[in-house]
Amino acid sequence: MKLKKILVAVLLGIFTLSFAGCGDNSEEIQNLMSKGIKQHNAGNDAEAINSFNQVLKLSPDNSEAWANIGNSYNALQNYDKAISSLNKAVDINPNDAYAWICLGSSYNSKEDYDKAIESFERAQKIGNLSNELNSSAFAGLGVAYANKEDLQRGLEYLNKATELNPNNEYAWENIEVVKKKIDKK
């Protein structure tokens, strides 16, 4: 659970840095998005979802709001609602790497590793990702492959994640888990 919270916080932090205004009502939308992100980071995910839903009342096709709703549902361990929201985000904006990474995380949590891999790979195909986003995608891929018992490939992706972002605790902790599994074989 701690690892998921760390990954979610890292992804939300990355998103906060990349958020830009969205046309009409952009200041109100940005304020509501910031409020929702702060609520999420404080562990108040139900309140965060309400804030993001207020964004959707102003801008129904706001992929960032849908992605953050999905990420909040991830934190609440409601993966079906997370996946539904994140699929709306990527339907609206197929180039939203953040949403694809969150979707991959949801699928990892549901143990649907093939869909997780597909989502993380879609994020990476977008290109020009920050090291943090790319690291998150590689870490997710590593976890998915390791859980599919392709331990060496999983370890390679996790190591790549730490090369891109040496502060990726999720990747480091999973490297240890995978190494222990390899040692047992």
Side-chain angles (χ1 to χ4, degrees), residues 12 15-16 19 29-41 44-60 62 64-73 98:
L12 279 173
F15 173 73
T16 301
F19 180 75
I29 289 169
Q30 190 166 10
N31 289 338
L32 287 166
M33 292 292 284
S34 294
K35 178 181 176 184
I37 290 168
K38 286 177 187 173
Q39 290 166 324
H40 172 79
N41 287 339
N44 301 321
D45 290 289
E47 292 173 24
I49 291 167
N50 287 333
S51 294
F52 299 133
N53 277 324
Q54 289 177 23
V55 170
L56 294 176
K57 287 179 183 174
L58 299 169
S59 177
N62 187 305
E64 292 88 7
W66 283 112
N68 280 305
I69 288 170
N71 213 4
S72 291
Y73 277 125
Y98 169 77

